[in-house]
């Protein structure tokens, strides 16, 4: 018999199983979430309404606050719902969606912090060139080189991933074809079926 077990949901261990502590944690995380939302919204409103703050540094700070809201909203509300419902499971699809959003938000935050560091580098190390480098006309200039670099990096990363997958499956197929029994070949190919379904389209 073949092992056809597939997970439809995951069990969440949580921070505690004590109902009183769960109520306390619900309150604490609710307050933290509201402070995070309120603080970041205040930053965004102040930056967007004050013309003196329409500089690159505050532009990046505005988007960092927005990313922080997205990051917190990806995690905390779902956790608060689980505290209320005393539910200890999460569907597989919900888990995948939440993890994807967490990684997207975290990646965006990391890149935003990198851009902010570059902004500060130009401001401190090359102050005379700051206005020339960090302005809208430079962002809206000729983008051919940027597109070329982006396309090249996409081709390199995509082709290297494709080649690795192709070489792996060449070795898999050559190994499987050496198996004498048809049942053995079928079992070996069935272990790759889920990956092949995703890769083939």
């Amino acid at each position: 018999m073949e092992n056809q077990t597939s997970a439809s949901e995951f069990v969440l261990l949580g921070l505690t199983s004590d109902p009183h502590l769960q109520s306390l944690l619900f309150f604490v995380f609710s307050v933290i979430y509201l402070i995070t939302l309120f603080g970041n919204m205040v930053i965004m409103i102040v930056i967007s309404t004050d013309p003196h703050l329409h500089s690159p540094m505050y532009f990046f700070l505005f988007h960092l606050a927005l990313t922080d809201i997205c990051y917190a909203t990806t995690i905390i509300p779902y956790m608060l719902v689980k505290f209320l419902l005393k539910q200890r499971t999460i569907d597989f699809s919900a888990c995948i969606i939440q993890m994807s959003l967490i990684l997207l938000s975290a990646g965006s935050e990391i890149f935003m912090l990198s851009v902010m560091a570059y902004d500060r580098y130009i401001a401190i190390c090359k102050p005379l060139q700051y206005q020339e480098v960090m302005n809208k006309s430079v962002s809206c200039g000729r983008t051919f080189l940027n597109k070329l670099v982006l396309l090249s990096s996409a081709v390199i990363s995509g082709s290297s991933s494709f080649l690795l997958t192709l070489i792996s499956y060449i070795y898999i197929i050559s190994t499987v074809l050496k198996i004498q029994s048809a049942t053995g070949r079928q079992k070996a190919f069935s272990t790759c079926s889920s990956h092949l379904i995703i890769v083939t389209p």
Side-chain angles (χ1 to χ4, degrees), residues 34-49:
L34 290 174
I35 290 171
T36 302
L37 281 183
F38 181 73
N40 285 307
M41 284 183 180
V42 167
I43 290 170
M44 292 169 67
I45 291 168
V46 169
I47 290 173
S48 59
T49 55

Side-chain angles (χ1 to χ4, degrees), residues 10 67 70-71 73-75 90-109:
F10 297 108
T67 305
C70 295
Y71 193 51
T73 304
T74 301
I75 302 169
I90 181 172
D91 292 338
F92 181 76
S93 57
C95 182
I96 293 296
I97 290 169
Q98 189 178 34
M99 282 304 301
S100 300
L101 291 173
I102 288 169
L103 292 174
L104 181 66
S105 301
S108 300
E109 196 161 332

Side-chain angles (χ1 to χ4, degrees), residues 16-172:
T16 180
S17 57
D18 185 351
H20 298 294
L21 278 176
Q22 283 186 342
S23 300
L24 176 65
L25 288 172
F26 176 81
F27 175 74
V28 169
F29 282 112
S30 297
V31 170
I32 291 171
Y33 180 61
L34 290 174
I35 290 171
T36 302
L37 281 183
F38 181 73
N40 285 307
M41 284 183 180
V42 167
I43 290 170
M44 292 169 67
I45 291 168
V46 169
I47 290 173
S48 59
T49 55
D50 189 348
H52 295 98
L53 300 179
H54 292 178
S55 65
M57 183 179 73
Y58 292 104
F59 172 81
F60 297 134
L61 187 61
F62 177 93
H63 286 86
L64 184 65
L66 178 63
T67 305
D68 199 34
I69 289 174
C70 295
Y71 193 51
T73 304
T74 301
I75 302 169
I76 298 179
Y78 194 81
M79 183 176 62
L80 294 176
V81 168
K82 294 298 179 184
F83 275 137
L84 280 180
L85 299 178
K86 306 290 191 292
Q87 189 177 355
R88 292 186 167 274
T89 58
I90 181 172
D91 292 338
F92 181 76
S93 57
C95 182
I96 293 296
I97 290 169
Q98 189 178 34
M99 282 304 301
S100 300
L101 291 173
I102 288 169
L103 292 174
L104 181 66
S105 301
S108 300
E109 196 161 332
I110 289 167
F111 283 118
M112 194 60 63
L113 290 170
S114 300
V115 170
M116 290 175 77
Y118 179 74
D119 174 72
R120 292 299 83 207
Y121 159 75
I122 296 294
I124 293 168
C125 299
K126 300 182 179 180
L128 298 177
Q129 298 177 13
Y130 184 79
Q131 292 299 327
E132 181 184 345
V133 173
M134 303 300 286
N135 63 51
K136 291 182 179 178
S137 63
V138 174
S139 302
C140 300
R142 297 179 66 182
T143 58
F144 175 75
L145 184 60
N146 295 342
K147 290 177 182 176
L148 185 63
V149 169
L150 181 63
L151 180 63
S152 301
S153 62
V155 167
I156 290 168
S157 61
S159 60
S160 60
S161 175
F162 172 75
L163 281 174
L164 181 62
T165 305
L166 182 65
I167 291 168
S168 298
Y169 273 101
I170 288 171
Y171 277 106
I172 289 169

